[in-house]
Amino acid sequence: MVEVNAGIFVGNPSKRIRDRIWQLLAARIGDGQAILVEPASNEQGWATRTAGKDRWYPIDFDGLILSARNRR
């Protein structure tokens, strides 16, 4: 993976490696935010995972994945 900007990593790891990286990251993110964009067999061709306290959540609107924030 390449860090293209501070805290932004781009790469193409296998599903096994991607799942392991996400497992570690989600457990250690603390007050930060993390987003993983990965290939998926859906209309858009990708899906997201999010972790952290103050994060955006992927919401499926009839096959179109949009991001929403919880209101407090």
Side-chain angles (χ1 to χ4, degrees):
M1 298 191 40
V2 176
E3 188 172 14
V4 295
N5 202 347
I8 309 290
F9 294 87
V10 178
N12 192 21
S14 69
K15 180 172 177 14
R16 187 176 132 249
I17 298 298
R18 188 171 57 241
D19 289 344
R20 180 65 177 142
I21 290 170
W22 186 253
Q23 180 183 33
L24 290 170
L25 181 64
R28 298 177 183 181
I29 196 66
D31 290 337
Q33 299 177 40
I35 301 171
L36 173 75
V37 179
E38 61 188 331
S41 56
N42 60 21
E43 293 282 328
Q44 292 172 289
W46 54 269
T48 61
R49 300 186 214 184
T50 62
K53 278 185 163 182
D54 187 30
R55 68 180 187 224
W56 293 76
Y57 294 87
I59 307 293
D60 185 336
F61 287 99
D62 293 328
L64 178 64
I65 305 300
L66 303 174
S67 293
R69 258 194 135 130
N70 279 350
R71 294 197 173 224
R72 295 171 195 216

